[in-house]
Amino acid sequence: MSDAPDRPAATGAAPPPNPTAVVAVLAFSGIVVSLMQTLVIPIVGQLPQYLNASASDAAWAITATLLAAAVATPVMGRLGDMYGKRRMLLLSMGMLVVGSVVAGLSDSLVPMIVGRALQGLSSGVIPLGISILRDELPAERLGSATAMISASLGVGGALGLPVSALIADNFDWHTLFWTSAALGVVALAAVTVLVPESKVRTGGRFDLAGAAGMAAGLICLLLAISKGGDWGWSSGTTLGLFAAAVVVLVAWGFFELRSDQPLVDLRSTVRPQVLITNLASIAIGFAMFSMSLVIPQVLQLPEETGYGLGQSLLAAGLVMAPSGLVMMALAPVSALVSRARGPKVTLMIGALIVAAGYGLNVVLMAEVWHFVLASCVIGAGIGFCYGAMPTLIMGAVPASETGAANSLNTLMRSIGTSVASAVAGVVLAQMTTPFGGFALPSEDAFRMVLALGAGAALLGFVIAAFIPRRAVGGVGDAGVGGPVPEALKV
């Protein structure tokens, strides 16, 4: 049984969408958007020179994308539920194209920050795509398609580094943004032609005050997390932002609970299946990002350090690339496990695989193939986790709230990755070894970050164990689309 609305069979009606084409287009769009994560990594060291700015100011080209993505993801999800998911998907891809063009034309700091922020506003594409799948696909295809789209987040991140490094090494740095603009145009055209607009709408009035409050709280929180290492964790600015985030988000929560048409239905988010899945998502997001903070650095450090492997950035990217392909290849397997045993079991298995991958990497750090092996094992686990989490979310909310619920889950993963970056930054800055007059992160520091990744994955496993065996107030209970499909049972 599908949650997709019945379509009229009237003469002359548009033919039903091709499920394979819809999944392919949405997966490609997700990969294009996730490429933005690693787009500028190859030129981070040169950005101050390119933009005639200080290193701390140039770093805003990365921070702006993070902040814009955090705000846009839940907002676009809610707007998709209200006004049409395909419409918001097209708007998101359009902002990616415009942002890429602005950045491609920039030679100074301000337009670069504007362009990167616009690129970040496209981050709602993946949760919107997953929500479209629920509305359009039959239940027997929903599990594997959801896993495929969700895995595109990791695929784009893994493939983006070698592709970006290859472009940066051989062409003018602006080519990075013209390439992303071209890919965005292709995705935009494909969505326009092949993806139908969902008939599932909530309507109503957009909660502008709620969106502003959530944006303010998230910006304060993520600014403190992402810039605390530069400003000092005990500085007045950092502590003030953390305090402001707590105050604003608590006030926002009370406001949302009193609102007739809230941006985020907090009563839905505290349902055990949704709440616990989101908590597990933070831990899994932390675990996913830890390898990205260790593997490229160790591969590129000079061999004279005794633990670096002296590889180029392109080579480091190529080492990471197979992990993304593994995520995509295992998406159908993840769906089969979810269908047979439930997505809760899939999530727990994935968390254990991630922890095992980090355990391998802690003891195997001497050869390039060690990192290929470890990243592929971690990628396999992430693929299982990322396929299970949206399925768990969709099993606990009615179809009319799918976009907002999936977007909030994506935001939880992003918070986990931000915390991982901050924690790893502290560890790598504190545990150093002298080399050539500089202080470099020590081998023990990298092992510590890997161990923290394993610990986060195990924490995700423990949290996932508390997910209820049945959706509470979910699709079936709410009467939306009938009984809970087999793929959504836990």
Side-chain angles (χ1 to χ4, degrees):
M1 181 174 292
S2 171
D3 291 320
D6 295 331
R7 292 181 176 78
T11 303
N18 183 325
T20 302
V22 171
V23 173
V25 169
L26 294 177
F28 175 74
S29 301
I31 291 172
V32 171
V33 169
S34 59
L35 287 172
M36 299 308 105
Q37 299 175 1
T38 51
L39 185 68
V40 299
I41 286 180
I43 60 171
V44 165
Q46 291 75 42
L47 272 180
Q49 175 186 346
Y50 293 153
L51 302 176
N52 192 28
S54 66
S56 59
D57 287 341
W60 283 98
I62 298 174
T63 306
T65 307
L66 168 69
L67 299 180
V71 173
T73 300
V75 169
M76 283 298 177
R78 177 60 176 156
L79 288 173
D81 286 337
M82 294 176 64
Y83 303 118
K85 302 176 183 71
R86 175 179 176 271
R87 182 176 298 174
M88 291 304 111
L89 185 63
L90 290 170
L91 177 60
S92 297
M93 293 306 305
M95 287 188 290
L96 184 146
V97 173
V98 172
S100 298
V101 170
V102 171
L105 293 172
S106 67
D107 285 304
S108 59
L109 182 64
V110 172
M112 173 60 74
I113 292 175
V114 171
R116 289 288 290 162
L118 286 170
Q119 287 182 323
L121 291 176
S122 69
S123 63
V125 162
I126 291 176
L128 285 169
I130 293 172
S131 301
I132 289 173
L133 294 180
R134 183 185 188 182
D135 296 342
E136 301 299 331
L137 265 61
E140 62 270 15
R141 295 201 59 175
L142 181 60
S144 59
T146 298
M148 186 75 70
I149 303 301
S150 194
S152 67
L153 177 65
V155 173
L159 298 181
L161 184 57
V163 172
S164 299
L166 184 63
I167 293 173
D169 286 346
N170 293 280
F171 302 95
D172 178 78
W173 65 275
H174 294 91
T175 307
L176 290 168
F177 299 101
W178 295 120
T179 302
S180 66
L183 291 172
V185 168
V186 172
L188 192 63
V191 171
T192 302
V193 174
L194 297 172
V195 177
E197 180 58 272
S198 169
K199 304 296 190 297
V200 180
R201 307 277 182 89
T202 61
R205 174 181 54 83
F206 181 69
D207 182 12
L208 185 60
M214 185 200 66
L218 287 176
I219 287 174
C220 289
L221 175 63
L222 293 175
L223 261 182
I225 292 173
S226 61
K227 305 293 284 185
D230 296 330
W231 295 337
W233 293 105
S234 60
S235 71
T237 302
T238 302
L239 295 178
L241 284 170
F242 275 127
V246 172
V247 171
V248 171
L249 290 175
V250 169
W252 170 79
F254 280 112
F255 177 83
E256 292 294 278
L257 288 172
R258 296 172 64 88
S259 175
D260 293 332
Q261 299 181 25
L263 176 73
V264 178
D265 185 353
L266 294 180
R267 293 178 177 84
S268 293
T269 64
V270 297
R271 292 171 180 168
Q273 182 158 320
V274 177
L275 176 62
I276 299 173
T277 300
N278 282 333
L279 291 175
S281 298
I282 297 175
I284 298 300
F286 186 110
M288 182 199 78
F289 202 59
S290 296
M291 72 170 179
S292 301
L293 299 168
V294 171
I295 295 178
Q297 289 197 62
V298 176
L299 287 168
Q300 292 179 82
L301 284 175
E303 294 181 2
E304 291 77 12
T305 60
Y307 52 91
L309 298 181
Q311 302 294 313
S312 66
L313 179 61
L314 175 59
L318 291 172
V319 168
M320 298 285 290
S323 67
L325 301 178
V326 169
M327 288 184 203
M328 188 68 79
L330 288 181
V333 180
S334 168
L336 287 174
V337 175
S338 292
R339 181 176 292 275
R341 302 302 301 271
K344 169 183 174 177
V345 173
T346 306
L347 178 57
M348 295 173 70
I349 290 173
L352 289 179
I353 295 173
V354 171
Y358 278 113
L360 277 175
N361 212 175
V362 168
V363 297
L364 297 176
M365 293 180 60
E367 304 287 344
V368 171
W369 71 266
H370 291 170
F371 292 94
V372 175
L373 173 63
S375 65
C376 284
V377 174
I378 295 169
I382 293 296
F384 269 67
C385 293
Y386 276 19
M389 287 186 287
T391 305
L392 284 163
I393 295 296
M394 290 190 292
V397 299
S400 59
E401 298 177 15
T402 302
N406 275 327
S407 296
L408 183 62
N409 181 251
T410 301
L411 175 62
M412 293 302 104
R413 303 185 217 174
S414 298
I415 290 175
T417 61
S418 299
V419 173
S421 180
V423 171
V426 172
V427 172
L428 298 178
Q430 295 297 319
M431 301 175 65
T432 61
T433 184
F435 178 79
F438 298 95
L440 296 179
S442 66
E443 184 176 14
D444 286 341
F446 290 118
R447 293 186 192 277
M448 175 63 73
V449 175
L450 293 172
L452 289 172
L458 292 175
L459 176 61
F461 171 83
V462 172
I463 294 173
F466 290 93
I467 295 174
R469 295 185 60 82
R470 288 274 183 178
V472 179
V475 180
D477 298 334
V480 182
V484 179
E486 287 296 322
L488 299 183
K489 287 183 178 178
V490 272

